[in-house]
Every structure is written in C-alpha cells, then in structure tokens.
C-alpha cells in the first residue's frame, strides 16, 4: 500500500510538469507570417535583385560589360533564387524574370566556349583533306565543347543539338573514309580485270569490294558512303561474272535450236530448247542476282519447245482449216460438218497439250463450233448474201450489201436482236460497233471470205453523184419517215444500185483495227430523223463506243479474194 501511494504521487507530479510545459508559449519560426522583420528581409532580397538587374541591363544597353557587371548579374540571380526559395513563390512573372537573367548569364559564360567550337570546326575542315587524323582530333574537341554547352548552358542561345549531330556525322565520315576507299579501290580493280578478261582477279575484286562495303555499313551505317544501290550493282556484277559459263551454255543451246529449226529437225530443236531452259533454271538458282537471271527466260525457252513440238501438229490443223475455208469459199458444203467436227477435237487436244503455244488463234475452236452449228443454214445464207451484195466499182473484189442489214438476217447470224422496234425487214438498230464487228467475224467464218464494215471512201463510192438526186425518192428522212425507221430496200436505189445510203439509219464506218482505247466511232448517211438539207452534205457523225441508238445500224462489205494457204501472204 505504501509503495502504491508513492507511485501515485510520482505520476501526479510528472503530469503537472507536463501540463505546465504545454501551456508555455513556443519560439517564433523564422519566416513565419507573424514575423514582420522576416517579411521585410525577403522583400529586401527582391528589391536588391531587381536593382542589380537594372544596373546590368543599363550597362548592357550602352555596351562594354565588365566582369564586375557580370558579378552583379550573378548576385541578382542568387538573390532572386533565395527569395523564391524562402517564400515558396510560384509567381510566373518572377520565374520568367529569373529565367531571363539566367539566360543572359549563360550567353555570357557560353560565348567563349562557342567561339572555340567554331574555331576547332573551321580548322578541322581546312585540314581534313590533307590530315584526316588531325581533323578528327579537332572535330572531337569541338564535339566535346558543344556537348558541354548543351549540358551546362542549356538556356543559352549557343545550345545546339543539331551541331552535335553534325559534328558526330563529320567524325564518322572521317573514320569511315579509309574503309570506303579500300572498297572503291577493290571495285576499280575488279572492273579493270573484267575488262581485260582476267575473270579470277575480277571475281576476287568484287568479293573484296562487297566485303568492305558490308563492314562499312555495319560500323558506319548512317554515313553517305553507305549506298545500297552500289551494293546491289556489285552483287549483280559478281553473280553475272560467276554465271558466265552457264550463260554461254544457254546461248549455245539456243543457237543450236535455231539452226535445227532452219534445217527442219524439230525434235532436235525441241531438245536444245529444253537444255537451254535447264541451264537457265540452274543459273537462276545459283546466281539469282545475275543480270541474266530470269524465271521468264526459262519459261520462254519451254514455250519455244512447245512451239517446236507443236509445229507439225499445228501445221496439220492449219492445213485442214485451209481446206475447210476453201470448201466454204467454193460453197461445197457436203464435207464441212465432218471436217469441222474433226478439227474441233484436234484443236482442243492441241490447246490441252500446248497451253503456251500461240501457233493457233484463240478463237479457232469457237470458229469451228460456229461453222459446225450453222452448217445446215449455209446454202440459204450464201444465197441471201449473193442476192444482196453489189459490186463496188473501183475496189477490186469488194462487194457491198445493197441494203442495211435487216433484223432477220442479223438474228440468223447472231441469234440475238438488240433492236428496240422489232420487225424482220426493219434495219437492225441499237447495235454497238463491237456488235457489228462480231457479226462480220461470224459471217466471215461461214463464207470463207473476209467480211467487214465499209470505209468512208467506200461509202462515198457507193453514194455516187448527188447532182440530180431526188432525196425523198431514195431516202427515208424527216420529211417522209414519220421520224421512224422503215423496211430496208423500200425506197428507190441510188444511181449506183444501193438502197438507203442516205437516211433510215446511220451506218458505222469501219476502221482498220479497233481497240479498247477507242471512245467513239463514225457513222455516215444520216437517218430517218435527218433534214434533207443535211443529207445533201452526206453527214458524218461520231457515236459513243457504248451508246445504243435506235437510229444507228450498219451494212457490210465482202472481199471475194480466195483464202490463202498457211504461210502464204494474201498480198
């Protein structure tokens, strides 16, 4: 109990002391808002800094800054930094003022270093061509100083990251030049040896030049000496050099193949083309960068082999096709069906076995099938053609249809009728130039004669003189047609024996060779909606390639020149 009371008394005493301690006033912290002297001192720091800055700027404006002036600027910066640290100021205006002063000081401190950079660089450039090692040392000095400026004086106008990169490039160029020179010397030696046909030396030179180039590209990748177009050329020339024996072998086989063809030994020629293709494939595999490497060349030699292999078979087909054309030309139709059927089978076999051969036309199988399909109608078609075609004076074996092509005859040949107003004897209309060409092609197939569209000169010859012509008697025009087409041959023929050369439908003028680039084609003669005054001028108009007009049709010409044997010119 006694001890308990003693402990309790001690606790009470200690607690009292602690309470008295808490109740005493604490010391004033420097810079506390309640410390008036501290606030006055920080304001004095700012005023002194501003005064020193003004003194410096005044001296700077009149020129001749002294070390003492620079010291003023340094002190102003220190004072301003102290002020901002003590007050914890985040005033942007004060911060900008500090940065401005720091920039001015760094410009002063960095100027001399920047001048030394320029001096080192200028001297390096002056000695670079005569003493590359000295130039490299000078560039290194300039590089180190510029790096120092960029690091220590980052607010100065002399900071220049691009200058560091430029100096580094110049140093790399100097360091890379010996390796580049070695590569160029090896390249020159290679070409000299090649020109003198010292093949081993040339190959060694190209290999050394490539080796040095690759080393250059690895060690100094961003220099202008690394020109990959040059590497590609060197590799191509090296492979071309290595591939020369195979090139010679290919050329030898090709020469032998051509000689064999001339002598009629087609089997030997085919074998030579195969050998040439094999050597070419080997060359492509071993020396892919050679100038003579070509997958297409190997394919072409195999196409030549197919052509040679196929020559006899193809010649047999063409000979039989010529016989078929003669039968059609002479209107001897008895054997046409059998011959055309046999030829279809042979052409299909030929196309299957010799896919790349160009000996037979692409349309030959289609032509033979069409002839076979139309064989029963051939006599009737020929009779109609002979009845409708009139000799065209001044054009040799040419006959021209007396009328425009009627719809029933167009349908007979094409199994189609594009006309908007349909009636058998009305002229076919709304046709494209392409449709008219296909009609001529198909009629050519079954007549054994060339059929085409008349030229402008042929139309003029068929028109004859218009001096005493009665337009209403020989043409359907706007004054007598009711603005619509009429059956062909229902007006009087002109003095040359042709119907509707003027009026009814405008007619396509043939071109020697139409192509997909043609955007329009010419038509002549006007139509049922043309004024008579215009017909007197024999109007010629353009019609768009894909325009279908119910006032546009055509007529044809037939060349009665006999078919020619394969390999014989028709001229």
């Amino acid at each position: 109990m006694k001890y308990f009371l003693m402990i309790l008394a001690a606790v009470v005493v200690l607690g009292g002391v602690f309470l008295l301690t808490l109740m005493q006033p604490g010391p004033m912290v420097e810079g506390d808002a309640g410390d008036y002297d501290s606030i006055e001192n920080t304001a004095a720091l700012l005023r002194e800094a501003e005064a020193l800055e003004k003194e410096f700027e005044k001296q700077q404006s009149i020129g001749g800054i002294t070390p003492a002036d620079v010291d003023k600027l340094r002190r102003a910066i220190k004072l301003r930094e102290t002020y901002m640290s003590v007050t914890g100021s985040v005033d942007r205006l004060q911060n900008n003022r500090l940065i401005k002063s720091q920039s001015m000081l760094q410009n002063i401190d960095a100027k001399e270093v920047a001048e030394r950079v320029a001096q080192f660089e200028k001297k390096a450039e002056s000695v670079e061509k005569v003493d590359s090692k000295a130039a490299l040392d000078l560039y290194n000095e300039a590089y180190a100083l510029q790096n120092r400026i960029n690091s220590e004086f980052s607010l100065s106008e002399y900071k220049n990251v691009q200058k560091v990169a430029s100096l580094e490039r110049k140093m790399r160029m100097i360091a890379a030049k010996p390796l580049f020179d070695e590569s160029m010397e090896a390249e020159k030696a290679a070409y000299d040896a090649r020109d003198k046909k010292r093949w081993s030396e040339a190959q060694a030179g190209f290999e050394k030049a490539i080796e040095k180039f690759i080393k250059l590209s690895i060690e100094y990748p961003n220099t202008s000496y690394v020109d990959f177009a040059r590497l590609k050329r060197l590799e191509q020339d090296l492979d071309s050099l290595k591939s020369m024996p195979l090139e010679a072998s290919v050329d030898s086989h090709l020469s032998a193949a051509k000689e064999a063809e001339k002598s009629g030994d087609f089997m030997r020629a085919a074998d030579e083309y195969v050998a040439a293709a094999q050597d070419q494939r080997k060359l492509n595999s071993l020396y892919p960068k050679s100038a003579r490497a070509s997958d297409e060349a190997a394919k072409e030699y195999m196409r030549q082999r197919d052509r040679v292999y196929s020559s006899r078979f193809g010649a047999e087909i063409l000979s039989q096709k010529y016989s078929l054309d003669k039968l059609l030309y002479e209107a001897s139709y008895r054997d046409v069906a059998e011959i055309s059927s046999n030829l279809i089978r042979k052409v299909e076999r030929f196309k299957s076995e010799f896919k790349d051969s160009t000996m037979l036309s692409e349309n030959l199988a289609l032509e033979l099938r069409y002839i076979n399909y139309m064989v029963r109608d051939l006599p009737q078609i020929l009779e109609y053609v002979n009845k409708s075609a009139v000799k065209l004076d001044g054009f040799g074996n040419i006959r021209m249809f007396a009328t425009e092509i009627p719809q029933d005859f167009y349908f007979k040949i094409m199994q189609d009728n594009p006309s908007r107003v349909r009636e058998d004897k009305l002229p076919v209309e709304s046709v494209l130039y392409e449709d008219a060409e296909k009609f001529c092609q198909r009629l050519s197939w079954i007549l054994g004669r060339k059929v085409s569209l008349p030229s402008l000169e042929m139309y003029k010859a068929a028109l004859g003189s218009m001096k005493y012509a009665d337009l209403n008697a020989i043409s359907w025009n706007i004054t007598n047609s009711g603005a619509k087409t009429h059956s062909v041959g229902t007006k009087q023929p002109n003095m040359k024996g042709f119907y509707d050369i003027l009026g009814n439908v405008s007619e396509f003028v043939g071109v020697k060779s139409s192509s997909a680039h043609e955007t329009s084609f010419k038509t002549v003669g006007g139509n049922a909606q043309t004024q008579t005054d215009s017909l007197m001028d024999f109007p010629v108009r353009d019609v768009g390639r894909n325009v279908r007009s119910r006032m546009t049709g055509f007529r044809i010409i037939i060349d009665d020149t006999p078919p020619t044997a394969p390999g014989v010119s028709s001229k």
Side-chain angles (χ1 to χ4, degrees):
M1 185 65 177
K2 179 180 178 180
Y3 290 111
F4 175 75
L5 290 174
M6 290 176 64
I7 293 170
L8 180 62
V11 170
V12 170
V13 172
L14 290 173
V17 173
F18 179 71
L19 287 172
L20 289 173
T21 302
L22 290 176
M23 292 173 65
Q24 289 181 358
M28 183 70 68
V29 178
E30 185 179 353
D32 189 284
D35 189 351
Y36 179 84
D37 289 340
S38 180
I39 294 174
E40 184 62 33
N41 288 339
T42 54
L45 290 176
L46 183 60
R47 286 194 299 272
E48 185 180 356
E50 290 175 345
L52 289 170
E53 287 167 349
K54 287 179 181 178
E55 289 179 23
F56 176 81
E57 290 173 356
K58 180 180 179 181
Q59 189 63 33
Q60 185 183 45
S61 66
I62 62 177
I65 296 174
T66 65
D69 297 322
V70 176
D71 287 341
K72 289 179 182 179
L73 181 60
R74 291 186 198 280
R75 175 161 176 73
I77 291 170
K78 184 65 177 175
L79 289 169
R80 193 174 284 278
E81 287 174 343
T82 303
Y83 167 78
M84 295 184 73
S85 174
V86 168
T87 61
S89 174
V90 291
D91 187 336
R92 187 166 64 178
L93 182 64
Q94 295 298 333
N95 188 59
N96 289 344
R97 183 61 184 145
L98 175 61
I99 291 174
K100 179 181 177 183
S101 296
Q102 289 172 332
S103 297
M104 287 190 293
L105 181 59
Q106 288 190 17
N107 282 339
I108 293 169
D109 290 342
K111 182 179 180 182
E112 181 184 351
V113 183
E115 288 173 350
R116 290 171 62 198
V117 170
Q119 290 168 0
F120 281 130
E121 184 175 11
K122 185 176 180 181
K123 190 171 182 180
E125 290 171 349
S126 67
V127 302
E128 185 174 336
K129 292 183 179 179
V130 294
D131 191 345
S132 59
K133 185 179 183 306
L136 186 59
D137 291 340
L138 289 166
Y139 279 131
N140 261 315
E141 292 283 355
Y143 177 81
L145 290 174
Q146 187 61 55
N147 262 331
R148 179 187 163 200
I149 291 172
N150 294 352
S151 174
E152 297 180 13
F153 308 109
S154 59
L155 296 178
S156 78
E157 64 186 51
Y158 300 106
K159 178 184 178 181
N160 191 336
V161 177
Q162 289 77 20
K163 171 67 74 174
V164 169
S166 172
L167 290 168
E168 187 175 16
R169 281 195 299 271
K170 290 179 179 180
M171 290 189 292
R172 290 177 68 80
M173 287 292 288
I174 291 175
K177 193 172 187 304
L179 198 55
F180 173 74
D181 289 342
E182 287 182 48
S183 177
M184 291 300 294
E185 287 170 8
E187 179 181 340
K188 183 179 183 302
Y191 285 123
D192 288 344
R194 188 184 69 174
D195 292 342
K196 295 172 183 176
K197 298 184 179 181
R198 297 202 294 263
W199 310 124
S200 297
E201 288 182 34
Q203 181 174 331
F206 282 125
E207 288 172 346
K208 182 178 180 181
I210 291 170
E211 176 192 349
K212 297 296 182 183
F213 182 94
I214 292 173
K215 185 177 180 182
L216 182 71
S217 68
I218 293 172
E219 295 181 7
Y220 307 101
N222 297 319
T223 62
S224 59
Y225 294 135
V226 179
D227 179 3
F228 285 101
R230 175 182 171 235
L231 176 63
K232 183 178 179 181
R233 173 174 52 78
L234 288 170
E235 289 176 334
Q236 183 183 74
D237 289 341
L238 176 59
D239 267 12
S240 296
L241 190 67
K242 290 179 177 179
S243 68
M244 285 179 64
L246 280 172
E247 287 179 33
S249 180
V250 169
D251 291 340
S252 176
H253 287 307
L254 292 177
S255 177
K258 290 174 183 176
E259 289 298 321
E261 278 193 74
K262 286 181 182 178
S263 65
D265 189 349
F266 296 112
M267 293 304 293
R268 177 168 163 261
D271 290 341
E272 293 290 351
Y273 280 123
V274 170
Q278 289 172 341
D279 281 348
Q280 183 65 52
R281 291 194 193 99
K282 187 175 180 182
L283 187 154
N284 297 345
S285 174
L286 293 176
Y287 311 111
K289 295 175 183 177
S290 168
R292 280 287 296 269
S294 170
D295 291 334
E296 182 57 33
K299 292 176 183 177
E300 175 59 25
Y301 303 150
M302 292 306 293
R303 283 195 289 269
Q304 293 299 327
R305 184 220 51 176
D306 287 349
R307 177 184 60 79
V308 172
Y309 269 143
S310 64
S311 291
R312 284 188 178 179
F313 191 21
E316 177 186 334
I317 291 173
L318 292 176
S319 176
Q320 291 181 14
K321 176 60 170 60
Y322 167 65
S323 298
L324 178 62
D325 289 340
K326 283 182 64 179
L327 292 177
L328 292 169
Y329 179 81
E330 296 166 358
S332 300
Y333 299 131
R334 187 182 65 181
D335 298 325
V336 167
E338 182 181 354
I339 293 175
S340 60
S341 295
N342 289 334
L343 277 173
I344 289 170
R345 289 191 291 271
K346 289 182 178 181
V347 169
E348 288 176 343
R349 178 187 162 195
F350 183 95
K351 291 292 185 181
S352 174
E353 293 182 4
F354 309 108
K355 293 181 176 63
D356 295 325
S357 174
T358 58
M359 189 173 185
L360 303 183
S361 71
E362 289 294 323
N363 289 328
L364 184 55
L366 177 64
E367 176 182 349
L368 292 167
R369 287 193 185 91
Y370 184 77
I371 292 170
N372 193 262
Y373 175 76
M374 298 293 288
V375 68
R376 293 183 180 179
D377 296 323
L378 295 182
Q380 177 189 353
I381 291 171
L382 181 62
E383 180 183 1
Y384 181 79
V385 168
N386 287 335
K387 180 179 70 173
S388 302
V390 176
K391 188 80 170 63
L392 186 61
D393 294 339
F395 287 89
N397 293 325
I398 300 296
R399 290 184 290 161
M400 180 186 280
F401 249 47
T403 68
E404 297 147 333
I405 299 299
Q407 293 181 24
D408 58 350
F409 188 51
Y410 185 90
F411 185 82
K412 171 68 73 176
I413 301 302
M414 301 295 289
Q415 299 298 300
D416 183 35
N417 183 3
S419 304
R420 297 184 192 178
V421 180
R422 296 189 176 183
E423 188 177 313
D424 284 353
K425 294 304 176 184
L426 288 178
V428 67
E429 33 90 351
S430 300
V431 288
L432 302 177
Y433 187 92
E434 183 181 354
D435 299 332
E437 278 195 322
K438 287 181 179 178
F439 176 92
C440 293
Q441 182 186 54
R442 291 187 181 185
L443 194 55
S444 296
W445 290 346
I446 58 179
L447 291 181
R449 294 164 169 80
K450 183 180 178 181
V451 178
S452 58
L453 298 173
S455 66
L456 185 60
E457 290 72 19
M458 291 175 181
Y459 271 113
K460 289 180 178 179
L463 177 65
S465 174
M466 295 284 290
K467 188 173 182 179
Y468 301 108
D470 181 353
L471 289 179
N472 284 324
I474 64 172
S475 72
W476 291 109
N477 56 70
I478 191 62
T479 62
N480 60 14
S481 68
K484 63 182 182 180
T485 60
H486 291 261
S487 296
V488 300
T490 53
K491 280 292 183 179
Q492 295 177 18
N494 67 6
M495 60 182 296
K496 296 289 187 176
F498 295 96
Y499 297 86
D500 301 321
I501 288 289
L502 299 174
N504 214 14
V505 289
S506 299
E507 303 174 22
F508 281 119
V509 177
V511 295
K512 288 184 178 180
S513 178
S514 65
S515 71
H517 300 295
E518 302 282 352
T519 58
S520 64
F521 296 96
K522 295 190 181 302
T523 61
V524 296
N527 53 58
Q529 297 178 356
T530 304
Q531 299 285 346
T532 54
D533 289 346
S534 296
L535 291 179
M536 287 296 295
D537 295 329
F538 193 49
V540 179
R541 299 285 185 269
D542 286 337
V543 61
R545 181 185 190 91
N546 298 314
V547 174
R548 293 185 181 273
S549 169
R550 64 187 180 88
M551 289 294 157
T552 300
F554 67 99
R555 74 177 69 212
I556 59 174
I557 58 169
I558 301 158
D559 187 347
D560 286 323
T561 303
T564 56
V568 179
S569 173
S570 60
K571 294 183 180 180

